[in-house]
Amino acid sequence: MSLYDRHDHSTAPGCHWCIDGMTPAGISPILGPVLRLCPTKKWCEECDDSSVFLTDQETLDDRINELLSDGYAAIWCSNCNGVTAVVPVTNDGGIR
């Protein structure tokens, strides 16, 4: 599923910060700069558009491994593939 396919370009002028169907959502202390889906439209029923998306240029595998090495695991929305939560993990790999 691509944002280019999902974003309605006719609504982009109504979103002052629109970047290819996404808008800045701030800086997470764990994830760094994050984006969210353009607020001019309802995108995901599963997470109710609460997911955020990483802006890093590294691969997703690299970011997941970096989070794990820092003691965190990301919870992903199975519909839009955004991050819905970040939780600490124990040394044994279980969620605290």
Side-chain angles (χ1 to χ4, degrees):
M1 172 164 40
S2 166
L3 285 176
Y4 295 106
D5 298 332
R6 299 185 323 156
H7 184 66
D8 181 5
H9 294 285
S10 66
T11 63
C15 178
H16 301 291
W17 303 103
C18 201
I19 305 166
D20 293 330
M22 301 189 116
T23 190
I27 300 173
S28 163
I30 298 170
L31 299 173
V34 291
L35 301 170
R36 70 181 205 109
L37 293 170
C38 181
T40 61
K41 182 178 176 182
K42 180 80 171 146
W43 297 102
C44 183
E45 294 289 331
E46 187 172 320
C47 70
D48 199 27
D49 294 337
S50 64
S51 291
V52 294
F53 299 84
L54 309 174
T55 61
D56 297 11
Q57 297 301 317
E58 59 195 39
T59 67
L60 186 57
D61 287 342
D62 289 342
R63 188 64 182 129
I64 289 170
N65 290 330
E66 185 178 312
L67 280 171
L68 287 172
S69 70
D70 290 339
Y72 296 100
I75 309 295
W76 306 89
C77 175
S78 62
N79 186 47
C80 69
N81 295 322
V83 176
T84 58
V86 177
V87 295
V89 293
T90 64
N91 290 337
D92 296 331
I95 296 174
R96 292 185 201 177

